[in-house]
Amino acid sequence: MGREIIAAGLQHREFIANATEGFEAYRAAVEPCTLAWAERETGVPAELIRTMAHAYAGAKRAMICWTLGITEHHNAVDNVLSLVNLSLLTGHVGRYGSGLNPLRGQNNVQGGGDMGALPDRLPGFQHVENDPLREKFDRAWGVAVPREKGWHLSQMFEAMERGALRALYVIGENPLQSEADQHHARRLLERLDCLVVQDLFLTGTAQLAHVVLPASAAWCESEGTVTNSERRVQRVRKALDAPAGSRDDLAILFDLARRLGHDWGRPDAETVWNELRGLSPMHAGMSYARLDKHGGLQWPCYDEEHPGELFLHSRLWEWPLRGPRVPFQPVQHDPPVDRLDEEFPVRLTTGRRLDDYNTGVQTSAYASPMRRGETLDLSPEDADRYGLREGEVVRVRSRRGAVLAPVRLDEGLRRGLAFMTLHFQDDVATNLLTIDATDPKSGTAEFKATAIRIERVEA
């Protein structure tokens, strides 16, 4: 497989020499990965891999898009780096209509990262451990921002385990029902000295909380912005007043700061946005007036005259190169932690269905003609193999727990692969099955690769 990609990408020698470093190390790492080996590992025919490699490398424009099927693994970052390597190798980066695009599951996941909701970044992806960047925020905020990066979600749970994290403030998240091992998550959340949850609904996590702060629905009850997967920042306008007893997230945070001795003034979304523009160079040109006028702008947008960048990394095609080269990152294949064997021979992957959302909290109260409840989706071949029929309730067992679910046949699944969701926690707690193996770089749990067996349930 590595040889095929390298051969197909040699037409981009000049781009590779200009844009990347470490190519020989990358080539040495991937060349042993033959097509026969790839077929054994993936089940995808070797000739199909060959055809796809040449089609991708030779295309005038090509885009790689991915979702959680790439990232919810114990080697999530390596999976993404392998896609980055492939894009660099074939020259499908820095040009219109080509590139890499992680598709987001919600409309403002990108915006959350942009605003600094990452353990090692300040707003605008400015690294917290970079002294000049951090000191700019120190001066603006009148406090000393911690010099060390913080914990991501998995590290927070590890800190709870060892007693280093005793209080938790959860905004718009339901970790009790979305973490990979529900028994483990419940035990740690129940041990906290103080758990505060700010949310629209009384989630499973909120039911464990010492304090619940009822929030508003940001998409229709708040002012602000969202950023989508193409880096386009758009305005959100308040259309409705929040129900009695619930409040805008911004108002809650401002009042909490005031109670703690810090008066941030009036909670006004545009004022907060303008503060961001003064601190994040990539947002500097995005005034509310310009966002309204243009229907949104793509970052980076450096000043009031800048139109916003249509696509990124075009400098990699300039000669001589402007700025640093981009390194290849050789990675090694590492199979799922939860290995298949005779006792657990089926691979379970989890995901979403079109009409429901994550743990089901936001969608379960609404009727949908497509909703059918939780099922264990199997290929017709596996149903025949185990003597199962559509609708039959079976016990799905992993090395951590078991749940009951009805069988549903899905011709889109291949033999040996099953599918379930996390949408119906009150009926089928799928994350009793999944493994709490996490990627050390991102903290992402391996939701996509659980080893299970299927047991008949006697009447």
Side-chain angles (χ1 to χ4, degrees):
M1 179 172 59
R3 291 192 185 97
E4 295 299 316
I5 295 293
I6 288 169
L10 286 179
Q11 60 182 295
H12 297 291
R13 283 181 189 273
E14 294 174 356
F15 169 81
I16 292 170
N18 185 32
T20 60
E21 58 188 30
F23 174 65
E24 291 305 322
Y26 171 74
R27 182 170 184 162
V30 300
E31 277 200 304
C33 304
T34 65
L35 287 173
W37 173 86
E39 180 173 336
R40 288 195 303 272
E41 287 292 316
T42 66
V44 179
E47 191 54 39
L48 184 59
I49 297 174
R50 180 194 301 274
T51 301
M52 184 62 195
H54 283 273
Y56 174 75
K60 183 178 179 181
R61 297 189 179 98
M63 178 79 69
I64 298 178
C65 300
W66 69 90
T67 57
L68 299 179
I70 285 289
T71 55
E72 285 189 339
H73 292 272
H74 75 282
N75 51 354
V77 171
D78 284 355
N79 288 341
V80 173
L81 288 175
S82 68
L83 298 180
V84 173
N85 288 337
L86 181 58
S87 183
L88 286 172
L89 182 64
T90 55
H92 287 310
V93 63
R95 297 188 297 167
Y96 178 76
S98 292
L100 299 132
N101 189 357
L103 300 176
R104 307 307 194 176
Q106 301 87 44
N107 71 321
N108 201 29
V109 170
Q110 182 67 51
D114 296 352
M115 297 301 106
L118 297 167
D120 61 340
R121 305 287 167 157
L122 292 158
F125 296 106
Q126 299 173 90
H127 207 293
V128 73
E129 294 180 325
N130 182 303
D131 290 345
L133 295 178
R134 187 186 64 257
E135 289 164 1
K136 175 176 62 174
F137 288 86
D138 292 348
R139 291 190 296 271
W141 293 344
V143 296
V145 176
R147 299 168 60 91
E148 300 82 21
K149 63 183 179 181
W151 293 321
H152 54 57
L153 182 59
S154 297
Q155 290 170 327
M156 291 182 192
F157 274 90
E158 291 167 4
M160 291 182 218
E161 185 86 68
R162 63 178 185 270
L165 179 59
R166 304 297 309 161
L168 190 65
Y169 188 169
V170 180
I171 301 178
E173 185 85 7
N174 186 18
L176 173 67
Q177 295 178 313
S178 62
E179 282 296 285
D181 186 335
Q182 188 174 129
H183 288 310
H184 183 244
R186 177 180 291 276
R187 178 173 61 84
L188 295 179
L189 291 170
E190 289 178 338
R191 279 173 37 185
L192 291 170
D193 295 336
C194 180
L195 174 59
V196 180
V197 173
Q198 181 172 319
D199 211 311
L200 296 173
F201 302 97
L202 193 66
T203 65
T205 306
Q207 292 176 38
L208 300 179
H210 301 92
V211 177
V212 177
L213 302 173
S216 61
W219 68 273
C220 63
E221 296 169 354
S222 298
E223 293 287 329
T225 62
V226 296
T227 309
N228 66 13
S229 291
E230 63 167 355
R231 300 169 285 107
R232 187 177 301 280
V233 180
Q234 297 170 285
R235 286 274 285 112
V236 173
R237 296 165 184 81
K238 180 178 177 179
L240 301 169
D241 290 328
S246 62
R247 305 182 65 206
D248 187 277
D249 286 302
L250 206 59
I252 293 172
L253 293 173
F254 270 59
D255 272 0
L256 180 60
R258 192 173 293 110
R259 296 286 186 94
L260 295 173
H262 300 278
D263 188 353
W264 292 349
R266 187 171 64 90
D268 175 71
E270 186 172 7
T271 301
V272 173
W273 179 255
N274 286 334
E275 177 184 309
L276 167 82
R277 292 173 57 215
L279 292 168
S280 171
M282 72 185 202
H283 294 96
M286 295 183 176
S287 65
Y288 266 25
R290 292 194 76 212
L291 292 177
D292 289 340
K293 178 181 178 180
H294 298 289
L297 292 166
Q298 290 171 279
W299 61 252
C301 179
Y302 298 111
D303 56 51
E304 297 269 352
E305 303 301 320
H306 197 284
E309 293 287 350
L310 183 60
F311 57 92
L312 299 178
H313 313 304
S314 60
R315 69 174 184 85
L316 297 178
W317 291 93
E318 297 176 5
W319 189 266
L321 177 65
R322 176 172 52 87
R325 293 194 294 169
V326 181
F328 278 99
Q329 300 285 343
V331 297
Q332 297 293 331
H333 174 64
D334 191 14
V337 173
D338 211 11
R339 302 299 172 90
L340 300 180
D341 57 21
E342 291 184 1
E343 186 178 6
F344 297 97
V346 178
R347 178 66 70 202
L348 172 68
T349 189
T350 62
R352 300 174 184 170
R353 296 197 182 102
L354 182 61
D355 59 321
D356 280 286
Y357 177 79
N358 211 26
T359 59
V361 174
Q362 296 186 40
T363 52
S364 59
Y366 301 92
S368 167
M370 295 186 291
R371 184 173 299 132
R372 49 180 163 74
E374 189 54 90
T375 57
L376 173 68
D377 295 0
L378 295 173
S379 69
E381 294 86 350
D382 279 333
D384 290 342
R385 175 185 177 189
Y386 292 105
L388 303 173
R389 65 184 185 278
E390 179 107 15
E392 179 179 353
V393 175
V394 296
R395 181 175 291 105
V396 187
R397 185 178 298 279
S398 74
R399 294 181 173 95
R400 288 152 297 282
V403 298
L404 298 177
V407 169
R408 175 180 174 270
L409 303 187
D410 184 346
E411 293 184 356
L413 290 170
R414 70 186 188 195
R415 179 173 178 169
L417 182 65
F419 177 85
M420 296 180 74
T421 79
L422 302 177
H423 298 330
F424 306 97
Q425 290 282 327
D426 292 339
D427 301 320
V428 182
T430 302
N431 61 343
L432 294 177
L433 304 173
T434 48
I435 185 171
D436 191 21
T438 57
D439 176 65
K441 299 173 184 176
S442 68
T444 306
E446 193 156 65
F447 281 102
K448 302 302 186 190
T450 299
I452 62 167
R453 68 171 178 260
I454 303 166
E455 300 173 349
R456 302 292 294 269
V457 177
E458 298 299 328

